Structure formats: C-alpha cells, structure tokens
Amino acid sequence: MTLKALFAASATAALLLALPANAAELTIGFSQIGSESGWRAAETSVSKQEATKRKVNLKIADAQQKQENQIKAIRSFIAQNVDAIFLAPVVSTGWDSVLKEAKEAKIPVVLLDRDIDPSGKDLYLTAVTSDSVHEGAVAGDWLAKTVGTKACNIVELQGTVGASVAANRKKGFDTAIAKHANLKVVRSQTGDFTRAKGKEVMESFIKAEGGGKSICAVYAHNDDMMIGAIQAMKEAGLRPGKDVLTVSIDGVPDIFKAMADGQANATVELTPEMAGPALDMLIAYKKDGEAPPKWRQTPTKLYLPDTAAAEYERRKNLY
Ligand code: AHR
C-alpha cells in the first residue's frame, strides 16, 4: 500500500469512527442560505421532513443570504462536533479555509443545490444539485422554438452575483440562443433571486426600453423574480404571457398560478427534494465507508401552461 493510499484508508476509518452507529443518533448541521425565494422555503421544509422521516436531528442555521453567516454557522457546527454538515453555498468561492477546518475535524460536508469552485472538490463528500447549465439551455431552447424566426429582444433577471446557479443558468441560456441570430439579450441585471428585486429591476428595464414595448421576452433565473417582473409589467400596462413571453426556473406554485392565469409561459422545474438523497448517501456512507459519487444530479423538467392549473393544485399545499 502506498503512503497516499494508507492515508486515505486511515482517514476513512477515522471518519467512520466519528460517526454514530445508526441514523437515529445522527446530528447534522445545515447551513441554509436564507429564505429569498419560495423554492428556498420549500427546500428548507422538505429537509426538515426528510430528516424527521429518518430520525436525524437536523440543526438549520439561516444565513440571511450572507456568506459570513454561513462560515460562522459551519464553525459553530464544527465546535458542536456534529456528524455531518449540509451546505447550500450562497456563492461559489471563499470556502476553502472553513471546509478545510471541517475536514480536519473529520466532519463530512455535503453540498446542496449549489456548487463551489472546482478547487474545493476534495473538501466535500458529495453534492446534490441539478445541472444548472442545462436548466438555462432548456429555457433558451424553449424560447427559441416559441419565438421562431421573428426578431426578439430579451431582458434577463440574473440570480445572486457569484452564485454557481446564476453563472450556469446564464451560460446555458446564452449558449442556446447563440444559435439564433434573431434572439438578443438587450438587458441583463441581478435581481438577487427575490421577488422585490425582480420587480424593481424589471421596472428599470421597462423604463430604459421606452415603456417596454420593444421587450419580446423575459428570462429570469428563478420564478420569484419572474413573479416580481410580471407585477412590474402589469403595472406598466404590458401583458406578460401574451405580449411579452416569460420563462423562468424553479416550478414554485405561484408561477403555475400565473401560467394558469395566462400571465406566464414556461418554467423549468428544480426539485426542492435535495436533502432526502443527501441523507441516504450519508447514512450509507456511515454504514459501509464507501464514498458516494461526487455528484448526485437531480432531474430537470420543462412545464408549460397546459398542465399549469393541475400542477398548481398539486403543489400549493405540498411544502
Ligand atoms: O440554488 C437554487 C436557487 O436558489 C433557486 O433557483 C432559487 O430560487 C434559490 O434562491
């Protein structure tokens, strides 16, 4: 056995010893971003339900959208010697030091719904996320197909600056529409994944675009910003879903309601069910010591108005 292999084996053995024998005894610290969107609130609530099902003690720390609060929470979880840490990283950089501290304390870290930079790959056990580049591509492809050959000016509401999902959703969308010379993003700004900021930024887009008549479509990196943008369009006398096409990401109940009401056109679903697979992988890892795959990809699905009313009914009291 090489020195490196010996080190890896003893690190795994030490980690296993650090974990209790069954799920009922597990305590996991979850550093959650905050409650900026309906999707985020759903993810928090699903995480609680999934932990309860497995008799896991889940301690959730709400970082109120601030990385510094997430770092503090992780340090506090390390000090409490939790069995594992779940992290939904608000931005993709700046994690190395604190995740090294978790590794030194032999506490496995699982990323939920967002990535960190590849330099941190050795610092976490696994990540449960969607393919967010693909989400952007699905939105772009749908728009290109729907618009056809006419010229279309698009305005884009981006997610939080520095978040992996914001960069990826932009990249996927831009790549998809690059194949269509008639589609052009004329304005793009962050709305920080919130409804209020989405509305505010959309108001400024409408103003800058002479009342919004030249806007053919809105692409928002999440549904909440789109709901805010829909409000801004209605207040400006525009007809979202009719004169202005909309496509966003998440699949929260309110966007299905807007689609059913003819005020939105498409959403790309991101499941909030991330904690269940994460807990199962962690529990299996504790049992057999075999590291799970580095990435567990969650599904991506496009929804259109034809199923919106039924989807709204199905989802409205789900989380
Ligand atoms: O990381 C997932 C994104 O974060 C969701 O699309 C958005 O609503 C949330 O705030």
Side-chain angles (χ1 to χ4, degrees):
M1 193 182 266
T2 64
L3 207 59
K4 204 172 160 200
L6 192 67
F7 175 76
S10 61
T12 304
L15 193 56
L16 286 174
L17 286 176
L19 289 167
N22 63 58
E25 296 165 36
L26 282 178
T27 294
I28 297 177
F30 178 14
S31 171
Q32 176 60 296
I33 292 172
S35 51
E36 73 279 7
S37 66
W39 185 91
R40 181 74 45 205
E43 189 198 38
T44 300
S45 133
V46 172
S47 302
K48 286 181 191 162
Q49 291 164 15
E50 296 298 320
T52 306
K53 268 191 219 161
R54 292 165 181 81
K55 299 193 172 55
V56 165
N57 175 22
L58 187 69
K59 298 181 169 188
I60 302 183
D62 178 335
Q64 303 190 337
Q65 281 79 43
K66 290 197 178 78
Q67 183 179 35
E68 65 202 71
N69 291 344
Q70 292 203 285
I71 292 174
K72 271 189 213 147
I74 295 170
R75 291 206 166 114
S76 154
F77 291 143
I78 296 171
Q80 293 168 54
N81 198 23
V82 295
D83 299 302
I85 293 171
F86 286 180
L87 167 65
V90 63
V91 290
S92 58
T93 55
W95 299 103
D96 285 12
S97 303
V98 75
L99 293 190
K100 270 180 198 150
E101 290 168 34
K103 193 170 184 175
E104 273 156 25
K106 300 189 172 41
I107 298 174
V109 172
V110 177
L111 302 184
L112 294 190
D113 80 76
R114 294 188 189 178
D115 284 329
I116 60 171
D117 273 7
S119 64
K121 247 200 158 51
D122 291 342
L123 301 175
Y124 63 88
L125 177 67
T126 183
V128 182
T129 74
S130 63
D131 178 344
S132 44
V133 176
H134 179 60
E135 290 169 342
V138 170
D141 287 340
W142 171 81
L143 189 62
K145 198 169 152 217
T146 306
V147 166
T149 54
K150 76 167 189 185
C152 182
N153 285 345
I154 304 158
V155 297
E156 177 184 31
L157 292 160
Q158 295 183 35
T160 302
V161 176
S164 62
V165 285
N168 292 344
R169 287 171 182 175
K170 176 158 189 51
K171 184 176 167 193
F173 185 82
D174 286 350
T175 308
I177 67 160
K179 298 171 231 155
H180 307 271
N182 58 316
L183 303 186
K184 200 171 154 211
V185 176
V186 291
R187 299 196 181 264
S188 181
Q189 207 179 302
T190 180
D192 214 8
F193 282 129
T194 70
R195 215 171 265 220
K197 203 71 202 294
K199 180 170 188 273
E200 189 186 308
V201 175
M202 190 65 206
E203 282 166 354
S204 73
F205 287 165
I206 292 170
K207 209 167 162 199
E209 290 296 316
K213 291 275 185 260
S214 59
I215 301 172
C216 150
V218 185
Y219 166 46
H221 291 191
N222 82 345
D223 289 340
D224 276 76
M225 291 189 291
M226 185 60 86
I227 302 289
I230 289 171
Q231 194 55 38
M233 286 188 269
K234 289 200 297 191
E235 286 173 14
L238 300 169
R239 296 187 311 161
K242 294 185 178 70
D243 307 331
V244 185
L245 292 168
T246 81
V247 59
S248 48
I249 296 167
D250 274 357
V252 298
D254 284 356
I255 202 73
F256 285 106
K257 176 90 176 63
M259 284 201 281
D261 293 346
Q263 296 176 354
N265 302 102
T267 187
V268 181
E269 185 190 36
L270 168 71
T271 178
E273 287 164 19
M274 309 254 165
L279 286 165
D280 287 342
M281 285 194 287
L282 192 71
I283 291 164
Y285 176 58
K286 176 196 74 155
K287 240 184 176 171
D288 57 26
E290 219 172 281
K294 208 71 197 182
W295 182 31
R296 165 70 83 89
Q297 186 182 345
T298 60
T300 294
K301 188 172 171 194
L302 176 72
Y303 283 90
L304 300 173
D306 56 340
T307 58
E311 286 299 332
Y312 173 66
E313 285 306 317
R314 191 172 74 77
R315 287 158 195 259
K316 68 180 183 196
N317 298 317
L318 209 55
Y319 306 116

